[in-house]
Amino acid sequence: MAEIESSGVVPGAAQSTGVESKNTVEDIPTAIGSGQKYPIARVSGPKYDFRAFEPKWRARWEEQKLYQVDLRHAKRPYYNLMMFPYPSAEGLHVGNVYSYVGSDVHGRWMAMQGYDVFEPMGFDAFGIHSENFAIKRGIHPRILTARNIEHFREAQLKRIGNRFDWSHELHTTSPSYYRWTQWIFVQLFKAGLAERKTAPVNWCPKDKTVLADEQVIDGRCERCGSVVERRWLEQWFLKITNYAQRLLDDLDQLDWSERIKVAQRNWIGRSEGLEFSMAIAGMPEERVQVYTTRPDTIFGMTFVALAPHHPLIARITSPAYREAVARYQEAVSNVQVGENRAMTGVFTGIYALHPFTDERVPIWVADFVLGEHGAGAVMGVPAHDETDMAFARAMGLPVRFVVLPAHAPVSPSQEYVQQEAFVRPGILVDSGEYSGMTSEQARTAIIDWFEARGTGKRAVKYRLRDWLISRQRYWGPPIPIIYCPVHGAVPVPEDQLPVVLPDVENWMPIGTGTSPLAAVESFVNTTCPICGRPARRETDVSDNFLDSSWYFLRYPSSDDETQPWNPELTRKWLPVDMCIGGGEHSVLHLMYVRFITLALHDLGYLDFSIPFTRFRANGTITKDGAKISKSRGNVVNPDGYIEHFGADVFRVYLMFMGPYEGGGDFSDRGISGVVRFLNRVWQLVLRHEAVAPEPVGEEKRAMHITIKRVTEDIAALKYNTAIAALMEYLHTLEERRAVTRTELETLLLLLAPLAPYITEELWERLGHQTSIHTASWPTFEATSIQTGVMTMLVQVNGRVRDRIEISSTASEEEIKQQALSAGKAQRFLAGQNVNKIVYVPGRLVNIVTA
Ligand SMILES: [Zn+2]
Ligand SMILES: [Zn+2]
């Protein structure tokens, strides 16, 4: 246990510990003030020194296997999942720690409610992220990844205080894992859900690989920020579009964070529109199929645009234009698709005929039309669509307004001149018999007109495109396909999986559109599984997001070498009860896990179709009001803070910054408040070791109010207000001369999920033999919270002899009378004269005899 040796500093040695890394307490003198580095030293009385016990408890929990769950025999299974990290060499990011700690607070709280909580962890170590770091360091990714994982696990993840069950640790890079990633690909292939096709794809010139649509943010590579180029390449796709409608429909039932659902709904982008065909002038045998979401604007059509590789182009382009069109097709095969790209296009010399007016509408080829979007052909209405407007301006095409805002003068569109496209619905003008209708009325009428003639129909389209999973890189699972000259693409037989990633010297990306594996003859050359003829292996590897699309299925069965998941364990533990993670994966990982789960369900491998019963997105954190980034130099290194303040302080501080689902702002100044809080808890508990067990009256009420608040807040992931309630409660306990054992224990139990080390240590010091983390969560009594009745202690000469229930509105005189007549107290009063009666409001009546 390396981490214990390295941090096992003797108590009191804190002040002399050197500061090793940049982001440690050296930067934080303002947080502590008065020239002292460590606030712990400032506090008099019993000393809270996390170094004296955090390593001890880490070791003991591990030794006792406290967080290991007997998966087969657990009575109340609860699967608490968090997104496993990319083990980059930069180390665990503070955003990861924030996410993991919040998830762990939930898991610990569920465990204290009697659930058998399974909280596994693993490493998502394949992919560009890891490989790029290896390139930077010039170290083979296999070596670097192993080293990073070791550091993540031992020096970081084990110290943050999470209740991880390490006995089910996963590495996506292990052949025993990616064997099943490949197996899933083969199942999808057999079901027709994996397909190789030529399509316009996103190419990152820096990473020298294609990217999925979801990995392109505002025209730039999600990983490196380069402006992405478009290339036409033959690639492997998973047919997520087959599931577009179900992925959309299921959103309504999901208990997932609303912002994730909104993002997914937009990404799927369902539109209802009109698909229709138009005749082509001079070519009676040809028609062009067009899709539009705005049939009401059809009279404003001034051009038709075809995607650059639309099959019609070769057949219709007039001879004089063929060369220009061919040149254009060649040029756009490799273009940047960044946001401010100029519009380009080329005329085919041919016209379509407007379905209502028979007017000639020029047919253009333009790369703003994507091959897979709609029919690969659009009707261009510049007046009512921003992209069409940009194209018309660039090409000098006419603009014809046919829908006007309701408040505009109803006049011929030629007089209605405006610079911008009018994209909202309105009133139709210059639209034949439809003029004067609203957009909504016209939409229905126009679609009906096409359907009556059989030249068009209502159609639903989705923005979602198929998931491109080929990567021309080294560090990933080889796609398990063999190309036979006779049989074409043949999946590798399941008993020959995994297709092991060969350990090669030349693993750097080469940029020619093929993976470095293509140069490895011993890998490439194989035989066809069907006929035994010489054949070649696919040399691309699969997308890292395929690895992470199913890891939650593997955790419970991580040691099963015979199958991807054990059906019995899967029935018992899945779907995941709660997954918490960052919202940045809303249309990537979180869409892919839903798709893969749905597909595996349909193929009969799973009896559920939704991966996570609940998903909550944690917020993001900023540093001193600014976005955290390397370029700003404000990266928060969790190690430094944990080293100097301890894991508990770091955990509580992270959870106290703001509402967990909203995020918060990290400031060094804020930490000292949490240091003081835990110090005060420490002192309070140790000062009051032997006291009366049960609180009464107002004190009992305050305790139950706190239990209620903390319980409700933790359930709602409002950790910040739960901590605030605990701070208030601590304050009321500190104000008092005496505190009962029950109150101290309640305080510790409520704090345990947030600060697992200090509560465990104090729990032991209060005399408990078993872990606080196996204790039951306190329950609140509704009757104790009611304001109507209170319990008062009755003392005789300072010793508690009885307790009375009394209305909280009773007067002092009434209370004193009732105390005097209390049965048990009377026994001690027999034969004595009452000298005086001391009344302490809300607490007690002390009867003093002469
Ligand atoms: Zn890139
Ligand atoms: Zn063959």
Side-chain angles (χ1 to χ4, degrees), residues 484 487 528 531:
C484 167
H487 296 100
C528 170
C531 67

Side-chain angles (χ1 to χ4, degrees), residues 483-488 490 527-535:
Y483 298 102
C484 167
V486 177
H487 296 100
V490 180
T527 53
C528 170
I530 300 171
C531 67
R533 285 190 185 81

